Amino acid sequence: MRRLAILAVLALEVPGVPASSAGATQTVAMKGIAYEPKQVTVHVGDIVEWANQDIVAHTATARDKSWDVNVLPGKAGRMVMKTPGRFDYICRYHPNMTGEIVVEP
Ligand SMILES: [Cu+2]
């Protein structure tokens, strides 16, 4: 149900992006209490998908609190990157889990 809820949110957001520039999806694994890869570069409109391969919940939470994605064990969470910039992020449950997303215009 959680996954459905996330997809429903995506469905609401995607229409704002012209179909011709529909974003690519970049996957980041949550594995061994770490993000893999730790750093990804995407473009505005692209989707970052976090795939939790651990047996505990993780989050991808921007240090500036601009976004927060909670991902249950064995599930995936996605977000459309709408704002250019560099975003450091952490897991709220495991603050040693750190990652970075660079969103290019
Ligand atoms: Cu975590």
Side-chain angles (χ1 to χ4, degrees):
M1 287 306 286
R2 176 84 190 171
R3 189 183 185 99
L4 285 176
I6 291 168
L7 288 175
V9 169
L10 262 185
L12 290 175
E13 292 184 8
V14 168
V17 178
S20 60
S21 64
T25 298
Q26 171 76 53
T27 301
V28 176
M30 295 162 149
K31 187 178 179 183
I33 320 292
Y35 302 110
E36 175 59 41
K38 281 179 75 79
Q39 197 221 45
V40 296
T41 299
V42 300
H43 291 92
V44 169
D46 285 351
I47 295 164
V48 175
E49 176 182 87
W50 287 273
N52 187 350
Q53 299 176 20
D54 282 338
I55 59 170
V56 295
H58 293 301
T59 74
T61 305
R63 283 194 193 275
D64 69 4
K65 309 286 196 231
S66 60
W67 41 267
D68 179 51
V69 179
N70 190 67
V71 190
L72 296 178
K75 303 292 186 184
R78 297 171 189 80
M79 192 175 64
V80 178
M81 294 296 162
K82 293 180 173 177
T83 308
R86 299 177 78 91
F87 297 92
D88 285 317
Y89 69 97
I90 63 168
C91 173
R92 282 187 280 109
Y93 308 130
H94 311 100
N96 289 338
M97 280 178 76
T98 60
E100 181 184 43
I101 297 175
V102 177
V103 183
E104 297 184 334

